[in-house]
Amino acid sequence: PVISFSHFLPRGDLLFPPHLAGTREAAYWPFSTGFNFSRVAGTWALDQEIRKLGSRIHAYGHQHRNRSALIDGVFYVSHCLGYPHERKSGRIGFFESGPRLIWEHGRPAVSS
């Protein structure tokens, strides 16, 4: 199996929680700072390369928000530690200390 990794978000739609994707509120999630991070985060070109590789799982970082999503046969996983103040305030979400298991017994160990 192919497992790929990147620092940057491989798709723009991974930036937001599923319930906010495509909404006006998504532009300022999780707090309104006036800066729309979605304009610079995520690249579909990277997702095309991941799919050319035949990746089953893609682990990525950069956004400081944990995600796990199955999209068209690829599991996308972000397991960020973030900054201490982000962990303390709960902004990381679904935080588990230590590494995250993503492949076990010949199949993905993640779920969406």
Side-chain angles (χ1 to χ4, degrees), residues 16-96:
F16 308 109
H19 71 280
L20 287 182
T23 67
R24 186 169 184 219
E25 293 81 12
Y28 300 104
W29 181 84
F31 39 83
S32 182
T33 63
F35 178 73
N36 186 342
F37 187 64
S38 67
R39 292 183 183 174
V40 296
T43 171
W44 294 97
L46 181 54
D47 190 58
Q48 290 173 351
E49 293 299 317
I50 290 164
R51 291 177 180 281
K52 282 182 191 176
L53 287 170
S55 185
R56 298 267 315 273
I57 298 178
H58 183 79
Y60 66 96
H62 191 70
Q63 73 182 38
H64 291 237
R65 302 294 178 262
N66 293 331
R67 297 279 181 275
S68 177
L70 174 63
I71 303 172
D72 297 328
V74 177
F75 273 105
Y76 297 89
V77 180
S78 177
H79 183 68
C80 304
L81 299 176
Y83 296 111
H85 70 275
E86 291 175 312
R87 291 191 300 270
K88 185 176 181 180
S89 68
R91 284 194 273 180
I92 295 296
F94 312 111
F95 179 74
E96 299 172 16

